[in-house]
PDB file of all heavy atoms in Angstrom:
ATOM      1  N   LEU A   1    -108.502 169.220 142.902  1.00  0.00           N
ATOM      2  CA  LEU A   1    -109.427 169.767 143.903  1.00  0.00           C
ATOM      3  C   LEU A   1    -109.405 171.263 143.791  1.00  0.00           C
ATOM      4  O   LEU A   1    -108.363 171.911 143.888  1.00  0.00           O
ATOM      5  CB  LEU A   1    -108.969 169.326 145.330  1.00  0.00           C
ATOM      6  CG  LEU A   1    -109.759 169.950 146.513  1.00  0.00           C
ATOM      7  CD1 LEU A   1    -111.188 169.460 146.519  1.00  0.00           C
ATOM      8  CD2 LEU A   1    -109.056 169.633 147.812  1.00  0.00           C
ATOM      9  N   ARG A   2    -110.588 171.883 143.597  1.00  0.00           N
ATOM     10  CA  ARG A   2    -110.663 173.304 143.460  1.00  0.00           C
ATOM     11  C   ARG A   2    -111.803 173.852 144.345  1.00  0.00           C
ATOM     12  O   ARG A   2    -112.904 173.378 144.281  1.00  0.00           O
ATOM     13  CB  ARG A   2    -110.946 173.695 141.971  1.00  0.00           C
ATOM     14  CG  ARG A   2    -110.895 175.212 141.725  1.00  0.00           C
ATOM     15  CD  ARG A   2    -110.962 175.576 140.277  1.00  0.00           C
ATOM     16  NE  ARG A   2    -112.374 175.638 139.800  1.00  0.00           N
ATOM     17  CZ  ARG A   2    -112.927 174.744 139.027  1.00  0.00           C
ATOM     18  NH1 ARG A   2    -112.271 173.690 138.579  1.00  0.00           N
ATOM     19  NH2 ARG A   2    -114.202 174.900 138.616  1.00  0.00           N
ATOM     20  N   ILE A   3    -111.427 174.827 145.150  1.00  0.00           N
ATOM     21  CA  ILE A   3    -112.388 175.452 146.079  1.00  0.00           C
ATOM     22  C   ILE A   3    -112.494 176.920 145.699  1.00  0.00           C
ATOM     23  O   ILE A   3    -111.473 177.601 145.525  1.00  0.00           O
ATOM     24  CB  ILE A   3    -111.965 175.307 147.579  1.00  0.00           C
ATOM     25  CG1 ILE A   3    -111.903 173.802 147.884  1.00  0.00           C
ATOM     26  CG2 ILE A   3    -112.890 176.062 148.462  1.00  0.00           C
ATOM     27  CD1 ILE A   3    -111.376 173.547 149.269  1.00  0.00           C
ATOM     28  N   GLU A   4    -113.739 177.403 145.609  1.00  0.00           N
ATOM     29  CA  GLU A   4    -113.948 178.800 145.150  1.00  0.00           C
ATOM     30  C   GLU A   4    -114.816 179.542 146.149  1.00  0.00           C
ATOM     31  O   GLU A   4    -115.938 179.146 146.468  1.00  0.00           O
ATOM     32  CB  GLU A   4    -114.648 178.821 143.780  1.00  0.00           C
ATOM     33  CG  GLU A   4    -113.851 178.154 142.691  1.00  0.00           C
ATOM     34  CD  GLU A   4    -114.612 178.117 141.355  1.00  0.00           C
ATOM     35  OE1 GLU A   4    -115.844 178.479 141.375  1.00  0.00           O
ATOM     36  OE2 GLU A   4    -114.022 177.752 140.339  1.00  0.00           O
ATOM     37  N   ASN A   5    -114.272 180.594 146.718  1.00  0.00           N
ATOM     38  CA  ASN A   5    -114.976 181.524 147.614  1.00  0.00           C
ATOM     39  C   ASN A   5    -115.815 180.810 148.673  1.00  0.00           C
ATOM     40  O   ASN A   5    -116.984 181.100 148.893  1.00  0.00           O
ATOM     41  CB  ASN A   5    -115.900 182.437 146.764  1.00  0.00           C
ATOM     42  CG  ASN A   5    -116.426 183.594 147.582  1.00  0.00           C
ATOM     43  OD1 ASN A   5    -115.762 184.081 148.531  1.00  0.00           O
ATOM     44  ND2 ASN A   5    -117.619 184.061 147.261  1.00  0.00           N
ATOM     45  N   LEU A   6    -115.211 179.862 149.364  1.00  0.00           N
ATOM     46  CA  LEU A   6    -115.922 179.018 150.325  1.00  0.00           C
ATOM     47  C   LEU A   6    -116.090 179.826 151.663  1.00  0.00           C
ATOM     48  O   LEU A   6    -115.131 180.312 152.228  1.00  0.00           O
ATOM     49  CB  LEU A   6    -115.145 177.739 150.606  1.00  0.00           C
ATOM     50  CG  LEU A   6    -115.940 176.659 151.347  1.00  0.00           C
ATOM     51  CD1 LEU A   6    -117.027 176.103 150.430  1.00  0.00           C
ATOM     52  CD2 LEU A   6    -114.996 175.554 151.760  1.00  0.00           C
ATOM     53  N   ARG A   7    -117.343 179.843 152.102  1.00  0.00           N
ATOM     54  CA  ARG A   7    -117.679 180.568 153.336  1.00  0.00           C
ATOM     55  C   ARG A   7    -118.527 179.646 154.236  1.00  0.00           C
ATOM     56  O   ARG A   7    -119.409 178.935 153.743  1.00  0.00           O
ATOM     57  CB  ARG A   7    -118.420 181.854 153.080  1.00  0.00           C
ATOM     58  CG  ARG A   7    -117.553 182.882 152.363  1.00  0.00           C
ATOM     59  CD  ARG A   7    -118.277 184.197 152.101  1.00  0.00           C
ATOM     60  NE  ARG A   7    -117.421 185.176 151.497  1.00  0.00           N
ATOM     61  CZ  ARG A   7    -116.621 186.002 152.123  1.00  0.00           C
ATOM     62  NH1 ARG A   7    -116.560 185.964 153.472  1.00  0.00           N
ATOM     63  NH2 ARG A   7    -115.852 186.828 151.461  1.00  0.00           N
ATOM     64  N   PHE A   8    -118.296 179.702 155.509  1.00  0.00           N
ATOM     65  CA  PHE A   8    -119.070 178.951 156.435  1.00  0.00           C
ATOM     66  C   PHE A   8    -119.131 179.613 157.777  1.00  0.00           C
ATOM     67  O   PHE A   8    -118.133 180.246 158.230  1.00  0.00           O
ATOM     68  CB  PHE A   8    -118.448 177.564 156.709  1.00  0.00           C
ATOM     69  CG  PHE A   8    -119.207 176.688 157.685  1.00  0.00           C
ATOM     70  CD1 PHE A   8    -120.302 175.952 157.256  1.00  0.00           C
ATOM     71  CD2 PHE A   8    -118.851 176.682 159.024  1.00  0.00           C
ATOM     72  CE1 PHE A   8    -121.003 175.151 158.136  1.00  0.00           C
ATOM     73  CE2 PHE A   8    -119.605 175.919 159.924  1.00  0.00           C
ATOM     74  CZ  PHE A   8    -120.673 175.154 159.500  1.00  0.00           C
ATOM     75  N   SER A   9    -120.302 179.567 158.415  1.00  0.00           N
ATOM     76  CA  SER A   9    -120.434 180.148 159.737  1.00  0.00           C
ATOM     77  C   SER A   9    -121.260 179.209 160.605  1.00  0.00           C
ATOM     78  O   SER A   9    -122.206 178.583 160.095  1.00  0.00           O
ATOM     79  CB  SER A   9    -121.079 181.545 159.729  1.00  0.00           C
ATOM     80  OG  SER A   9    -122.351 181.450 159.085  1.00  0.00           O
ATOM     81  N   TYR A  10    -120.975 179.157 161.890  1.00  0.00           N
ATOM     82  CA  TYR A  10    -121.750 178.358 162.826  1.00  0.00           C
ATOM     83  C   TYR A  10    -122.905 179.200 163.360  1.00  0.00           C
ATOM     84  O   TYR A  10    -122.762 180.375 163.779  1.00  0.00           O
ATOM     85  CB  TYR A  10    -120.892 177.908 163.968  1.00  0.00           C
ATOM     86  CG  TYR A  10    -119.904 176.851 163.602  1.00  0.00           C
ATOM     87  CD1 TYR A  10    -118.544 177.183 163.397  1.00  0.00           C
ATOM     88  CD2 TYR A  10    -120.253 175.507 163.441  1.00  0.00           C
ATOM     89  CE1 TYR A  10    -117.631 176.212 163.015  1.00  0.00           C
ATOM     90  CE2 TYR A  10    -119.354 174.523 163.101  1.00  0.00           C
ATOM     91  CZ  TYR A  10    -118.054 174.894 162.868  1.00  0.00           C
ATOM     92  OH  TYR A  10    -117.137 173.919 162.485  1.00  0.00           O
ATOM     93  N   ASN A  11    -124.126 178.659 163.216  1.00  0.00           N
ATOM     94  CA  ASN A  11    -125.312 179.332 163.637  1.00  0.00           C
ATOM     95  C   ASN A  11    -125.603 180.617 162.898  1.00  0.00           C
ATOM     96  O   ASN A  11    -126.330 181.503 163.375  1.00  0.00           O
ATOM     97  CB  ASN A  11    -125.318 179.603 165.123  1.00  0.00           C
ATOM     98  CG  ASN A  11    -125.225 178.342 165.982  1.00  0.00           C
ATOM     99  OD1 ASN A  11    -125.831 177.322 165.656  1.00  0.00           O
ATOM    100  ND2 ASN A  11    -124.399 178.370 167.019  1.00  0.00           N
ATOM    101  N   GLY A  12    -124.919 180.785 161.755  1.00  0.00           N
ATOM    102  CA  GLY A  12    -125.100 181.997 160.991  1.00  0.00           C
ATOM    103  C   GLY A  12    -124.564 183.242 161.597  1.00  0.00           C
ATOM    104  O   GLY A  12    -124.879 184.351 161.150  1.00  0.00           O
ATOM    105  N   ILE A  13    -123.744 183.094 162.648  1.00  0.00           N
ATOM    106  CA  ILE A  13    -123.244 184.261 163.371  1.00  0.00           C
ATOM    107  C   ILE A  13    -121.775 184.517 163.152  1.00  0.00           C
ATOM    108  O   ILE A  13    -121.327 185.508 162.605  1.00  0.00           O
ATOM    109  CB  ILE A  13    -123.561 184.163 164.870  1.00  0.00           C
ATOM    110  CG1 ILE A  13    -125.083 183.997 165.078  1.00  0.00           C
ATOM    111  CG2 ILE A  13    -123.017 185.375 165.659  1.00  0.00           C
ATOM    112  CD1 ILE A  13    -125.492 183.730 166.508  1.00  0.00           C
ATOM    113  N   VAL A  14    -120.974 183.527 163.642  1.00  0.00           N
ATOM    114  CA  VAL A  14    -119.495 183.676 163.584  1.00  0.00           C
ATOM    115  C   VAL A  14    -118.997 183.025 162.303  1.00  0.00           C
ATOM    116  O   VAL A  14    -119.103 181.813 162.100  1.00  0.00           O
ATOM    117  CB  VAL A  14    -118.847 183.011 164.819  1.00  0.00           C
ATOM    118  CG1 VAL A  14    -117.321 183.180 164.681  1.00  0.00           C
ATOM    119  CG2 VAL A  14    -119.352 183.615 166.078  1.00  0.00           C
ATOM    120  N   GLU A  15    -118.458 183.862 161.374  1.00  0.00           N
ATOM    121  CA  GLU A  15    -117.932 183.325 160.137  1.00  0.00           C
ATOM    122  C   GLU A  15    -116.560 182.699 160.406  1.00  0.00           C
ATOM    123  O   GLU A  15    -115.636 183.397 160.845  1.00  0.00           O
ATOM    124  CB  GLU A  15    -117.872 184.443 159.089  1.00  0.00           C
ATOM    125  CG  GLU A  15    -117.593 183.854 157.685  1.00  0.00           C
ATOM    126  CD  GLU A  15    -117.702 184.955 156.586  1.00  0.00           C
ATOM    127  OE1 GLU A  15    -117.207 186.077 156.794  1.00  0.00           O
ATOM    128  OE2 GLU A  15    -118.265 184.626 155.539  1.00  0.00           O
ATOM    129  N   VAL A  16    -116.440 181.422 160.078  1.00  0.00           N
ATOM    130  CA  VAL A  16    -115.223 180.685 160.318  1.00  0.00           C
ATOM    131  C   VAL A  16    -114.375 180.578 159.031  1.00  0.00           C
ATOM    132  O   VAL A  16    -113.148 180.738 159.060  1.00  0.00           O
ATOM    133  CB  VAL A  16    -115.509 179.285 160.863  1.00  0.00           C
ATOM    134  CG1 VAL A  16    -114.230 178.519 161.099  1.00  0.00           C
ATOM    135  CG2 VAL A  16    -116.340 179.394 162.138  1.00  0.00           C
ATOM    136  N   LEU A  17    -115.016 180.353 157.900  1.00  0.00           N
ATOM    137  CA  LEU A  17    -114.331 180.343 156.627  1.00  0.00           C
ATOM    138  C   LEU A  17    -114.748 181.624 155.892  1.00  0.00           C
ATOM    139  O   LEU A  17    -115.930 181.875 155.662  1.00  0.00           O
ATOM    140  CB  LEU A  17    -114.708 179.100 155.828  1.00  0.00           C
ATOM    141  CG  LEU A  17    -114.470 177.741 156.472  1.00  0.00           C
ATOM    142  CD1 LEU A  17    -114.842 176.600 155.544  1.00  0.00           C
ATOM    143  CD2 LEU A  17    -112.982 177.595 156.895  1.00  0.00           C
ATOM    144  N   LYS A  18    -113.722 182.400 155.457  1.00  0.00           N
ATOM    145  CA  LYS A  18    -113.989 183.744 154.966  1.00  0.00           C
ATOM    146  C   LYS A  18    -113.548 183.875 153.537  1.00  0.00           C
ATOM    147  O   LYS A  18    -112.671 184.696 153.191  1.00  0.00           O
ATOM    148  CB  LYS A  18    -113.253 184.769 155.875  1.00  0.00           C
ATOM    149  CG  LYS A  18    -113.687 184.615 157.359  1.00  0.00           C
ATOM    150  CD  LYS A  18    -112.846 185.485 158.250  1.00  0.00           C
ATOM    151  CE  LYS A  18    -113.200 185.290 159.724  1.00  0.00           C
ATOM    152  NZ  LYS A  18    -112.393 186.070 160.636  1.00  0.00           N
ATOM    153  N   GLY A  19    -114.133 183.076 152.674  1.00  0.00           N
ATOM    154  CA  GLY A  19    -113.822 183.207 151.245  1.00  0.00           C
ATOM    155  C   GLY A  19    -112.579 182.460 150.873  1.00  0.00           C
ATOM    156  O   GLY A  19    -111.659 182.993 150.298  1.00  0.00           O
ATOM    157  N   ILE A  20    -112.603 181.138 151.093  1.00  0.00           N
ATOM    158  CA  ILE A  20    -111.422 180.293 150.831  1.00  0.00           C
ATOM    159  C   ILE A  20    -111.339 179.956 149.328  1.00  0.00           C
ATOM    160  O   ILE A  20    -112.317 179.505 148.713  1.00  0.00           O
ATOM    161  CB  ILE A  20    -111.483 178.951 151.609  1.00  0.00           C
ATOM    162  CG1 ILE A  20    -111.436 179.215 153.111  1.00  0.00           C
ATOM    163  CG2 ILE A  20    -110.384 178.016 151.156  1.00  0.00           C
ATOM    164  CD1 ILE A  20    -110.129 179.673 153.652  1.00  0.00           C
ATOM    165  N   ASP A  21    -110.167 180.259 148.745  1.00  0.00           N
ATOM    166  CA  ASP A  21    -109.857 179.806 147.395  1.00  0.00           C
ATOM    167  C   ASP A  21    -108.640 178.902 147.480  1.00  0.00           C
ATOM    168  O   ASP A  21    -107.632 179.263 148.069  1.00  0.00           O
ATOM    169  CB  ASP A  21    -109.545 181.049 146.495  1.00  0.00           C
ATOM    170  CG  ASP A  21    -110.794 181.913 146.248  1.00  0.00           C
ATOM    171  OD1 ASP A  21    -111.788 181.344 145.798  1.00  0.00           O
ATOM    172  OD2 ASP A  21    -110.689 183.086 146.522  1.00  0.00           O
ATOM    173  N   LEU A  22    -108.764 177.764 146.810  1.00  0.00           N
ATOM    174  CA  LEU A  22    -107.709 176.748 146.948  1.00  0.00           C
ATOM    175  C   LEU A  22    -107.690 175.836 145.749  1.00  0.00           C
ATOM    176  O   LEU A  22    -108.756 175.393 145.259  1.00  0.00           O
ATOM    177  CB  LEU A  22    -107.953 175.956 148.235  1.00  0.00           C
ATOM    178  CG  LEU A  22    -107.028 174.804 148.707  1.00  0.00           C
ATOM    179  CD1 LEU A  22    -107.146 174.631 150.170  1.00  0.00           C
ATOM    180  CD2 LEU A  22    -107.378 173.486 147.978  1.00  0.00           C
ATOM    181  N   ILE A  23    -106.504 175.524 145.232  1.00  0.00           N
ATOM    182  CA  ILE A  23    -106.333 174.552 144.143  1.00  0.00           C
ATOM    183  C   ILE A  23    -105.254 173.562 144.471  1.00  0.00           C
ATOM    184  O   ILE A  23    -104.117 173.984 144.838  1.00  0.00           O
ATOM    185  CB  ILE A  23    -106.015 175.259 142.800  1.00  0.00           C
ATOM    186  CG1 ILE A  23    -107.178 176.128 142.337  1.00  0.00           C
ATOM    187  CG2 ILE A  23    -105.680 174.208 141.719  1.00  0.00           C
ATOM    188  CD1 ILE A  23    -106.942 176.879 141.036  1.00  0.00           C
ATOM    189  N   LEU A  24    -105.597 172.302 144.435  1.00  0.00           N
ATOM    190  CA  LEU A  24    -104.592 171.231 144.592  1.00  0.00           C
ATOM    191  C   LEU A  24    -104.626 170.347 143.361  1.00  0.00           C
ATOM    192  O   LEU A  24    -105.664 169.695 143.107  1.00  0.00           O
ATOM    193  CB  LEU A  24    -104.881 170.394 145.841  1.00  0.00           C
ATOM    194  CG  LEU A  24    -103.985 169.204 146.149  1.00  0.00           C
ATOM    195  CD1 LEU A  24    -102.540 169.689 146.397  1.00  0.00           C
ATOM    196  CD2 LEU A  24    -104.495 168.380 147.316  1.00  0.00           C
ATOM    197  N   ASP A  25    -103.589 170.361 142.552  1.00  0.00           N
ATOM    198  CA  ASP A  25    -103.552 169.662 141.304  1.00  0.00           C
ATOM    199  C   ASP A  25    -103.349 168.174 141.491  1.00  0.00           C
ATOM    200  O   ASP A  25    -103.922 167.377 140.757  1.00  0.00           O
ATOM    201  CB  ASP A  25    -102.456 170.243 140.402  1.00  0.00           C
ATOM    202  CG  ASP A  25    -102.798 171.606 139.831  1.00  0.00           C
ATOM    203  OD1 ASP A  25    -103.969 171.811 139.505  1.00  0.00           O
ATOM    204  OD2 ASP A  25    -101.867 172.457 139.826  1.00  0.00           O
ATOM    205  N   CYS A  26    -102.463 167.796 142.394  1.00  0.00           N
ATOM    206  CA  CYS A  26    -102.141 166.413 142.606  1.00  0.00           C
ATOM    207  C   CYS A  26    -101.328 166.226 143.908  1.00  0.00           C
ATOM    208  O   CYS A  26    -100.939 167.227 144.495  1.00  0.00           O
ATOM    209  CB  CYS A  26    -101.365 165.818 141.444  1.00  0.00           C
ATOM    210  SG  CYS A  26     -99.787 166.624 141.155  1.00  0.00           S
ATOM    211  N   GLY A  27    -101.103 164.962 144.302  1.00  0.00           N
ATOM    212  CA  GLY A  27    -100.236 164.724 145.419  1.00  0.00           C
ATOM    213  C   GLY A  27    -100.897 164.998 146.794  1.00  0.00           C
ATOM    214  O   GLY A  27    -102.087 164.884 146.944  1.00  0.00           O
ATOM    215  N   VAL A  28    -100.045 165.415 147.753  1.00  0.00           N
ATOM    216  CA  VAL A  28    -100.496 165.603 149.123  1.00  0.00           C
ATOM    217  C   VAL A  28    -100.464 167.127 149.441  1.00  0.00           C
ATOM    218  O   VAL A  28     -99.406 167.741 149.338  1.00  0.00           O
ATOM    219  CB  VAL A  28     -99.644 164.866 150.109  1.00  0.00           C
ATOM    220  CG1 VAL A  28    -100.070 165.096 151.536  1.00  0.00           C
ATOM    221  CG2 VAL A  28     -99.594 163.312 149.812  1.00  0.00           C
ATOM    222  N   GLY A  29    -101.606 167.643 149.846  1.00  0.00           N
ATOM    223  CA  GLY A  29    -101.668 169.043 150.247  1.00  0.00           C
ATOM    224  C   GLY A  29    -101.876 169.129 151.718  1.00  0.00           C
ATOM    225  O   GLY A  29    -102.549 168.305 152.334  1.00  0.00           O
ATOM    226  N   CYS A  30    -101.339 170.146 152.341  1.00  0.00           N
ATOM    227  CA  CYS A  30    -101.416 170.325 153.797  1.00  0.00           C
ATOM    228  C   CYS A  30    -101.973 171.692 154.137  1.00  0.00           C
ATOM    229  O   CYS A  30    -101.513 172.729 153.595  1.00  0.00           O
ATOM    230  CB  CYS A  30    -100.023 170.137 154.449  1.00  0.00           C
ATOM    231  SG  CYS A  30    -100.079 170.495 156.216  1.00  0.00           S
ATOM    232  N   ILE A  31    -102.947 171.709 155.041  1.00  0.00           N
ATOM    233  CA  ILE A  31    -103.420 172.966 155.599  1.00  0.00           C
ATOM    234  C   ILE A  31    -102.618 173.177 156.911  1.00  0.00           C
ATOM    235  O   ILE A  31    -102.763 172.341 157.871  1.00  0.00           O
ATOM    236  CB  ILE A  31    -104.929 172.915 155.930  1.00  0.00           C
ATOM    237  CG1 ILE A  31    -105.725 172.383 154.758  1.00  0.00           C
ATOM    238  CG2 ILE A  31    -105.414 174.278 156.386  1.00  0.00           C
ATOM    239  CD1 ILE A  31    -105.701 173.267 153.577  1.00  0.00           C
TER     240      ILE A  31
END
């Protein structure tokens, strides 16, 4: 699982995800 520069905002106003980069090669990952 690979995530690159992920950004998300509700209603285009409040940015909730601010450039998430994440790599999970295998197994169980926890946020």
Side-chain angles (χ1 to χ4, degrees):
L1 174 66
R2 187 173 84 252
I3 298 175
E4 299 176 352
N5 192 30
L6 195 69
R7 294 181 178 273
F8 179 85
S9 59
Y10 289 101
N11 300 320
I13 301 174
V14 180
E15 191 172 43
V16 180
L17 303 181
K18 304 172 183 178
I20 297 290
D21 293 305
L22 180 155
I23 293 178
L24 178 64
D25 288 319
C26 61
V28 180
C30 175
I31 311 295

